[in-house]
Amino acid sequence: MEPKVWSLAERPEMRERVLGMANSWPEFVTQDPVGSAHYGRISDELPAYVLFAEDERGEVVAHAHSVPFALHAEGRGQLPARGWDEMLVWAFWDLRRGVRADTVGAVSVVVDPRLQGRGLSALMLSAMRDNARAHGFSEVVAPVRPSAKHLEPDTPMEEYARRVRPDGLPADPWLRVHARAGAAVHAVAPASMTVAGSLEQWRHWTGLPFDTRGDIEVPGALVPVRCEPERGYAVYVEPNVWMRHAL
């Protein structure tokens, strides 16, 4: 039986259960300060754009967050190089000032780790598209974090994002889900998310020594983390792939 999809605007009592659902994000990814400042606000201030799937037992098995924003406002018009971070900043700047949104940005699709590989990500992406259309939008844009890129951290994202299978679909599984839903690769966002921290913080987040100067391969990272021991910090700048969904 396919799970039922709701929005938090319809079921506000589910907020804590939705946000408390298990996920498989690497610890360091959750330390992006822009995400930390804005992600939790989506369910509070934009509950109509937070969707969740509930199985027949009433368990939350997946959720999807998105945000409306004014892509075509003065001074914008192009999907930003700072990808995920910039999209969140724009969305809440627009919300605070009453700027009329013209686009929906996909922030995340999260599936319970025990249930991955069962089509729930495609279900939630489809629901996000339907939700955007129901709110009067004609496009969803997504700064996509390719799901298998961490296996090739040294491969340039531009090369990786354009890699296709013989059937013409993207080689990466998560890019492929978007393509099957109707999206096209638009561009790479080279600095979509930035996580900077002390060496002690990186050791805590990853369990790695972080005592060597240079690029460090970290499990789950799409590109190497730059380590500067003599300066006491390391920085991760994650590229994502902008995909555009015409509705």
Side-chain angles (χ1 to χ4, degrees), residues 11-156:
R11 301 277 304 280
E13 77 282 0
M14 296 292 288
R15 180 178 184 273
E16 295 306 316
R17 290 178 59 189
V18 169
L19 297 185
M21 191 195 80
N23 64 71
S24 56
W25 296 116
E27 174 65 19
F28 68 89
V29 172
T30 67
Q31 305 302 318
D32 169 35
V34 176
S36 297
H38 295 90
Y39 190 81
R41 296 177 60 191
I42 303 172
S43 55
D44 274 339
E45 301 176 46
L46 295 164
Y49 294 88
V50 179
L51 309 175
F52 68 93
E54 186 179 42
D55 68 12
E56 67 276 8
R57 298 169 300 169
E59 296 293 325
V60 176
V61 294
H63 59 77
H65 286 56
S66 60
V67 289
F69 70 102
L71 174 59
H72 301 290
E74 184 177 356
R76 299 180 188 173
Q78 300 294 324
L79 292 172
R82 289 183 60 238
W84 196 79
D85 282 355
E86 192 84 89
M87 183 179 73
L88 285 170
V89 170
W90 282 356
F92 283 99
W93 192 98
D94 294 343
L95 182 64
R96 185 167 62 250
R97 289 166 174 77
V99 177
R100 186 172 183 271
D102 54 43
T103 305
V104 168
V107 175
S108 65
V109 172
V110 181
V111 174
D112 186 313
R114 300 169 299 174
L115 301 173
Q116 290 178 351
R118 301 189 186 184
L120 286 171
S121 60
L123 172 70
M124 298 310 295
L125 182 59
S126 177
M128 185 188 294
R129 286 168 48 97
D130 291 345
N131 190 58
R133 189 182 298 110
H135 282 88
F137 294 95
S138 61
E139 185 176 43
V140 171
V141 298
V144 179
R145 188 175 197 270
S147 59
K149 176 64 172 69
H150 66 99
L151 300 175
E152 301 181 38
D154 292 320
T155 300

Side-chain angles (χ1 to χ4, degrees), residues 182-194:
V185 172
H186 176 74
V188 168
S192 194
M193 175 189 296
T194 300

